[in-house]
Amino acid sequence: ETGVTQSPTHLIKTRGQQVTLRCSSQSGHNTVSWYQQALGQGPQFIFQYYREEENGRGNFPPRFSGLQFPNYSSELNVNALELDDSALYLCASSAGQEVYGYTFGSGTRLTVV
Amino acid sequence: QQQVKQSPQSLIVQKGGISIINCAYENTAFDYFPWYQQFPGKGPALLIAIRPDVSEKKEGRFTISFNKSAKQFSLHIMDSQPGDSATYFCAASPVGGGNKLTFGTGTQLKVEL
């Protein structure tokens, strides 16, 4: 059984650029949730995808968008990057829309300069 | 708005001692309270979780104590070991599970020999 894998592990972007982060869900999981974890803080919910549809969104602007593919993998896209977007981006997969049984990936560390 | 408050921010415990981390929540709709452990460079991993219908849950050296009237819950790590050194996050999710976790700000635990 494979876990949640995220790519890339580290990324450096310039302010104003766009970035795409990728997540492969754990085998048997059909739901993917994305979280942003700023340095020294707890993760904050960005949004969740279930059956390729956005299924709940946190307090993040529209320049944060996502996709889920038929194989349940997912992408997080961030446009017009700002310095405050620098954070660890975590993907969590689960078998169903509930938070029970979340499995987190190791994250993508994004630095915006 | 910080819906889950966690303390202390950091904690140093001697090997074999008891580590205690506290959380308080505001939203009475929360009904699922997990604790996560995070090592540097890794995503959070579920340690133990509790529902409000019980006041305590124990799994090995880890115990959650829950006080519904005070809207507080805590993690106790008995016989703390150097391998327990990590950041611990409490979290909460609303009635019906919902589709997101609200995390505390984290506690950095160091267990010294």
Side-chain angles (χ1 to χ4, degrees), chain A residues 33 35 37 40-43 45 48 55-56 88 90 97-102 104-106, chain B residues 31-32 36 38 41-44 46 51 89 93 96-101 103-106:
Chain A
S33 303
Y35 286 77
Q37 186 177 15
Q41 298 296 317
F45 177 73
Q48 183 186 79
N55 179 46
L88 180 68
L90 295 163
Q97 303 170 66
E98 304 298 332
V99 298
Y100 321 124
Y102 259 12
F104 280 92
S106 294
Chain B
D31 79 335
Y32 173 68
Y36 283 83
Q38 186 176 28
K42 299 293 185 183
L46 179 65
R51 302 294 295 270
F89 293 95
S93 182
N99 58 11
K100 73 170 189 177
L101 286 169
F103 284 85
T105 51

Side-chain angles (χ1 to χ4, degrees), chain A residues 33-71:
Chain A
S33 303
W34 287 91
Y35 286 77
Q36 180 196 64
Q37 186 177 15
L39 199 61
Q41 298 296 317
Q44 288 200 320
F45 177 73
I46 302 175
F47 44 54
Q48 183 186 79
Y49 276 83
Y50 173 68
R51 292 185 176 179
E52 302 177 54
E53 296 286 332
E54 186 178 292
N55 179 46
R57 188 179 185 92
N59 188 26
F60 281 83
R63 59 189 185 84
F64 285 77
S65 63
L67 284 173
Q68 186 181 32
F69 301 99
N71 66 355

Side-chain angles (χ1 to χ4, degrees), chain B residues 4-8 11 18-25 33-36 47-51 54-59 61-68 70-78 88-92 107:
Chain B
V4 180
K5 295 182 179 180
Q6 184 172 346
S7 64
L11 183 61
I18 302 173
S19 304
I20 302 174
I21 305 170
N22 301 299
C23 282
Y25 63 97
F33 302 90
W35 284 90
Y36 283 83
L47 257 184
I48 186 173
I50 198 168
R51 302 294 295 270
V54 296
S55 61
E56 185 175 282
K57 183 174 181 180
K58 183 176 181 179
E59 289 184 0
R61 297 186 293 111
F62 301 92
T63 300
I64 300 179
S65 296
F66 186 83
N67 185 329
K68 188 174 181 178
K71 293 188 286 185
Q72 295 175 346
F73 58 111
S74 60
L75 175 69
H76 295 232
I77 305 174
M78 311 300 288
Y88 292 80
F89 293 95
C90 61
T107 296

Side-chain angles (χ1 to χ4, degrees), chain A residues 6-11 19-22 107-109:
Chain A
Q6 293 187 241
S7 63
T9 55
H10 295 84
L11 199 53
V19 69
T20 297
L21 310 181
R22 295 178 175 83
T108 294
R109 171 70 65 187

Side-chain angles (χ1 to χ4, degrees), chain B residues 100-112:
Chain B
K100 73 170 189 177
L101 286 169
T102 298
F103 284 85
T105 51
T107 296
Q108 195 164 6
L109 171 65
K110 182 177 181 181
V111 181
E112 294 184 334

